[in-house]
């Protein structure tokens, strides 16, 4: 009863920020994302009578009690479905800094779901896995299917899941992740979601969603990179406006973040097709075409304060692998 899964982080172009049901983690709106090829979590889960309690370890990171409980609660969801009571050992590792807005909870809970379900002996389809992953961390449901993904907000637990819109090869784009901060953020996204209602701009954000979702899906279908990029960039700023105007206010951006944002606008004026998006953290995702990677990296390296660069292609979703971590 041991299995290992590899799950990608994902970057949302239309974001999940705010929930209509906190307990079930039903988002206020649909969201759209792409799985990232170079930022992932690998997790091994083993259920065994040999364990007297759940043992949870994150390689290279101290886990606090709250994080440990969140993982054990997820093991309980799996145990309930599989009708088992056996304790488990969970070992997990990320190949990127955790808690900096690189969607560590997305890849983390997607990997835990797929490895845990496989180890428990349950047989679930992709939709059921996505529903289960969502209950651990909302954005994790989008890391389960391949490529470009849509998460339907739904009206119940069973209708809130993600599915593939287009395969990884659909658009010739890359996500160049500019890391400016590796420290864990002060306000987690889980907490941030609960503050959305306090922003005077939240209602306006939600009321514009339907139209925005329709337009970005059409742009993806048409492979219209310009419209796709413009909508994504405006959407990121829209979400951060809600964050910065919540009570208490959440400022994820740093001076480095702002420096990159301003540079992107300049580079576009110079003719480079490039757009940015930002999750709940200071790091910036630069979305550009495959053929413009070198030009982008050259420019990016000149900006002060860049601590790392990761070039991501659109990727597959979560898969089981044969190499276990223990
Ligand atoms: C800004 O999925 O991390 O990255 O459900 O509480 O785990 P929980 O929240 P989480 O929120 C992601 C927020 C975001 C936007 C997005 O990925 O859609």
């Amino acid at each position: 009863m041991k299995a290992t899964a590899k799950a990608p982080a994902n970057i949302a172009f239309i974001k999940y920020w705010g929930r209509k049901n906190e307990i079930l983690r039903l988002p206020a709106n649909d969201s759209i994302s792409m799985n990232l090829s170079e930022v992932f979590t690998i997790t091994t889960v083993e259920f065994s009578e040999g364990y007297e309690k759940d043992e949870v370890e994150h390689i290279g990171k101290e886990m606090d009690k709250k994080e440990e409980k969140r993982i054990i609660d997820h093991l309980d969801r799996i145990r309930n479905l599989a009708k088992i009571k056996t304790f488990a050992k969970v070992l997990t590792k990320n190949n990127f800094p955790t808690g900096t807005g690189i969607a560590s909870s997305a890849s983390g809970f997607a990997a835990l779901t797929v490895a845990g379900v496989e180890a428990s002996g349950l047989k679930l389809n992709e939709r059921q896995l996505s529903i289960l992953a969502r209950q651990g961390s909302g954005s994790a449901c989008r890391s389960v299917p391949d490529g470009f993904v849509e998460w339907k907000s739904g009206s119940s637990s069973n209708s809130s899941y993600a599915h593939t819109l287009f395969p990884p090869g659909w658009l010739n784009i890359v996500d160049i992740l500019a890391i400016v901060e590796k420290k864990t953020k002060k306000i987690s996204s889980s907490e941030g979601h609960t503050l959305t209602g306090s922003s005077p701009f939240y209602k306006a954000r939600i009321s514009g969603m339907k139209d925005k979702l329709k337009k970005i899906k059409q742009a993806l279908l048409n492979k219209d990179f310009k419209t796709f990029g413009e909508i994504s960039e405006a959407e990121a700023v829209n979400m951060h406006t809600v964050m910065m105007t919540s009570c208490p206010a959440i400022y994820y951006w740093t001076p480095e973040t702002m420096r990159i944002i301003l540079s992107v606008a300049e580079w576009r004026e110079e003719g480079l097709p490039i757009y940015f998006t930002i999750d709940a953290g200071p790091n910036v995702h630069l979305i550009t075409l495959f053929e413009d990677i070198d030009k982008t990296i050259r420019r990016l390296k000149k900006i002060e304060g860049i601590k790392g660069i990761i070039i991501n292609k659109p990727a597959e979703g979560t898969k089981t692998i044969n190499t276990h971590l223990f």
Side-chain angles (χ1 to χ4, degrees):
M1 294 183 93
K2 187 195 249 191
T4 301
K6 178 179 171 188
N10 68 74
I11 180 67
F13 302 114
I14 302 296
K15 316 276 189 186
Y16 147 52
W17 196 246
R19 299 188 267 251
K20 58 187 175 202
N21 183 317
E22 287 293 329
I23 295 160
L24 293 176
R25 273 198 158 78
L26 300 186
N29 55 271
D30 300 355
S31 52
I32 291 185
S33 64
M34 171 184 112
N35 289 328
L36 304 176
S37 62
E38 308 305 318
V39 254
F40 53 83
T41 300
I42 294 179
T43 299
T44 298
V45 179
E46 181 182 44
F47 289 100
S48 163
E49 299 297 340
Y51 301 122
E52 288 174 4
K53 59 179 183 55
D54 290 320
E55 293 175 20
V56 180
E57 200 190 321
H58 194 138
I59 296 172
K61 187 181 169 258
E62 281 286 312
M63 206 178 298
D64 64 36
K65 284 275 161 245
K66 221 166 124 190
E67 286 169 299
E68 194 183 89
K69 182 178 180 304
R70 200 168 162 190
I71 292 169
I72 293 175
D73 285 350
H74 204 60
L75 288 173
D76 285 340
R77 289 186 190 105
I78 296 169
R79 278 188 284 251
N80 280 341
L81 284 174
K83 301 191 172 54
I84 56 170
K85 293 224 150 50
T86 332
F87 288 117
K89 175 171 170 168
V90 176
L91 191 59
T92 189
K93 72 169 188 198
N94 289 341
N95 75 331
F96 59 93
T98 305
T100 53
I102 317 182
S104 58
S105 66
S107 56
F109 279 93
L112 179 65
T113 302
V114 171
V117 163
E118 179 79 13
S120 76
L122 265 177
K123 292 277 170 268
L124 298 186
N125 61 29
E126 183 188 275
R127 181 185 295 188
Q128 292 165 320
L129 288 168
S130 180
I131 290 169
L132 186 55
R134 187 204 78 237
Q135 296 169 65
S137 169
S139 56
C141 77
R142 294 189 314 238
S143 285
V144 175
D146 290 344
F148 294 86
V149 167
E150 174 183 41
W151 173 11
K152 284 290 195 190
S153 63
S155 53
S156 60
S157 190
N158 283 342
S159 57
S160 186
Y161 57 87
H163 68 105
T164 299
L165 280 179
F166 300 104
W170 180 256
L171 258 191
N172 209 7
I173 62 172
V174 283
D175 171 314
I176 301 179
L177 174 52
I179 300 176
V180 297
E181 186 54 79
K182 295 185 179 175
K183 279 201 281 270
T184 301
K185 58 198 174 201
K186 282 199 197 89
I187 301 187
S188 69
S189 28
S190 289
E191 194 183 337
H193 287 288
T194 66
L195 302 174
T196 47
S198 63
S199 162
F201 299 111
Y202 187 58
K203 275 209 179 91
R205 167 169 173 74
I206 297 300
S207 71
M209 263 303 166
K210 264 214 166 83
D211 186 49
K212 192 165 12 183
L213 281 154
K214 198 171 142 209
K215 286 191 174 132
I216 202 167
K217 275 161 80 171
Q218 193 60 45
L220 265 172
L221 181 69
N222 298 345
K223 304 192 180 193
D224 172 359
F225 180 61
K226 184 169 182 284
T227 307
F228 171 77
E230 283 171 359
I231 297 173
S232 302
E233 198 171 287
E235 159 63 0
V237 176
N238 179 310
M239 178 183 72
H240 279 269
T241 304
V242 169
M243 290 164 163
M244 291 183 217
T245 51
S246 306
C247 188
I250 318 172
Y251 300 103
Y252 285 124
W253 295 357
T254 63
E256 289 76 22
T257 312
M258 203 58 222
R259 232 175 263 153
I260 302 173
I261 290 177
L262 295 176
S263 301
V264 166
E266 270 175 31
W267 300 343
R268 237 180 357 241
E269 273 171 29
E270 290 162 16
L272 189 69
I274 188 164
Y275 301 89
F276 68 81
T277 183
I278 307 170
D279 273 347
N283 300 316
V284 184
H285 294 255
L286 298 166
I287 313 298
T288 191
L289 299 172
F290 199 80
E291 61 258 34
D292 289 319
I293 295 177
D294 289 347
K295 274 189 209 153
T296 305
I297 302 289
R298 235 179 291 130
R299 286 172 153 95
L300 200 51
K301 280 189 172 157
K302 290 190 191 136
I303 298 180
E304 204 189 311
I306 308 279
K307 294 187 176 149
I309 296 172
I310 304 173
I311 305 167
N312 292 288
K313 290 196 289 297
E316 286 190 322
T318 307
K319 310 281 176 223
T320 52
I321 57 172
N322 293 326
T323 329
H324 303 305
L325 292 179
F326 63 91

